[in-house]
Amino acid sequence: MKNITTLLAFIFGVGIFAATNFSCSKAKVQTAENNNKKNEINMEGKNIKEIYFAGGCFWGTEHLFQLIRGVVATEVGYANGKIDNPTYEQVVSHTTGFAEAVKVKYDADEVNLPLLINIFFKSIDPTTIDRQGNDIGDNYRTGIYTTDEEAAEIVKTEVAKLAKNYDKPVVVETIPLQNFYKAEDYHQDYLVKNPSGYCHIPLSVFEEAKKANPLPATKS
């Protein structure tokens, strides 16, 4: 009888543990979804611009930009490839030409594009071809993809300035966006939903991103 009681208590405890963890995971996902919806609403009436960054694994790159004040929405996906509606499995096969990228929408009245580019450069090795961290392949190449001439000129100017800080040639692509397909849902907000998930970007860079665009000091 004692053994049966112990077994029932164990099963009950496991059930509570599983339910609690499921609830926590669900809460994290719900929080990410709510934040996205809130950001979409907050974009109304703002000076919203759009830019695309490829910086290796898109989980970390998306999280980087989510930390910067003035960025109002992000979405991970596949940019500048050769087929329609690629899947993750097709992209990592290195046969489609796509780069893992992040669509970044930002309020140009709160944050400027040069600042975003500077933070992006701190998260990558801009001299490495088809590799960031432990991730190797053409889908992990670096790039900044634009959708208008004004942004294209800013990108070229800023990248040329930053290139002077490196002994090796900078190989970050700076070209117009040709196409972009949203990645599967499980990739979206990945590090929000999985805080201990894989990321090639050092935590110190995330901390720097948080502080990169502080609120203006209020006049007393």
Side-chain angles (χ1 to χ4, degrees):
M1 185 67 175
K2 183 178 179 182
N3 290 339
I4 294 175
T5 303
T6 303
L7 178 61
L8 289 173
F10 174 76
I11 293 171
F12 181 70
V14 170
I16 291 175
F17 177 78
T20 301
N21 278 313
F22 175 77
S23 298
C24 289
S25 298
K26 187 175 181 181
K28 289 176 184 175
V29 173
Q30 194 64 48
T31 298
E33 291 174 349
N34 288 342
N35 286 341
N36 284 339
K37 289 176 182 177
K38 188 186 297 181
N39 284 339
E40 288 174 5
I41 294 171
N42 290 340
M43 281 192 275
E44 295 179 7
K46 293 189 176 182
N47 184 17
I48 303 302
K49 304 284 186 179
E50 191 172 282
I51 190 80
Y52 295 74
F53 291 93
C57 176
F58 50 22
W59 295 343
T61 304
E62 179 183 39
H63 194 61
L64 177 79
F65 287 107
Q66 289 175 333
L67 298 173
I68 301 173
R69 188 182 71 84
V71 171
V72 296
T74 58
E75 181 178 276
V76 299
Y78 312 116
N80 290 2
K82 299 180 290 189
I83 65 173
D84 295 333
N85 301 307
T87 64
Y88 179 70
E89 288 71 23
Q90 288 174 315
V91 171
V92 298
S93 72
H94 311 302
T95 60
T96 64
F98 280 98
E100 292 191 17
V102 181
K103 175 166 67 174
V104 175
K105 289 188 176 183
Y106 63 98
D107 183 349
D109 293 333
E110 288 193 356
V111 64
N112 59 60
L113 184 52
L115 184 146
L116 297 180
I117 295 169
N118 272 265
I119 291 296
F120 172 67
F121 259 67
K122 292 179 180 181
S123 73
I124 62 171
D125 177 352
T127 68
T128 302
I129 298 175
D130 295 346
R131 177 172 186 166
Q132 291 298 309
N134 296 323
D135 302 310
I136 302 172
D138 62 341
N139 55 308
Y140 297 117
R141 67 185 182 272
T142 55
I144 306 174
Y145 309 129
T146 53
T147 57
D148 63 82
E149 285 297 325
E150 181 184 5
E153 287 302 315
I154 293 172
V155 168
K156 288 179 181 177
T157 299
E158 290 302 314
V159 170
K161 288 180 185 176
L162 292 167
K164 296 176 182 178
N165 299 326
Y166 299 89
D167 296 329
K168 299 178 182 178
V170 165
V171 294
V172 178
E173 292 182 328
T174 55
I175 59 177
L177 181 76
Q178 299 166 11
N179 51 32
F180 179 82
Y181 296 94
K182 181 180 178 181
E184 295 83 349
D185 286 345
Y186 71 91
H187 288 301
Q188 308 298 329
D189 302 303
Y190 186 84
L191 289 181
V192 174
K193 295 180 282 190
N194 303 277
S196 59
Y198 167 78
C199 182
H200 65 288
I201 300 174
L203 291 177
S204 59
V205 177
F206 287 143
E207 289 302 316
E208 194 165 349
K210 290 179 186 177
K211 303 172 184 176
N213 188 34
L215 283 167
T218 55
K219 295 181 180 179
S220 55

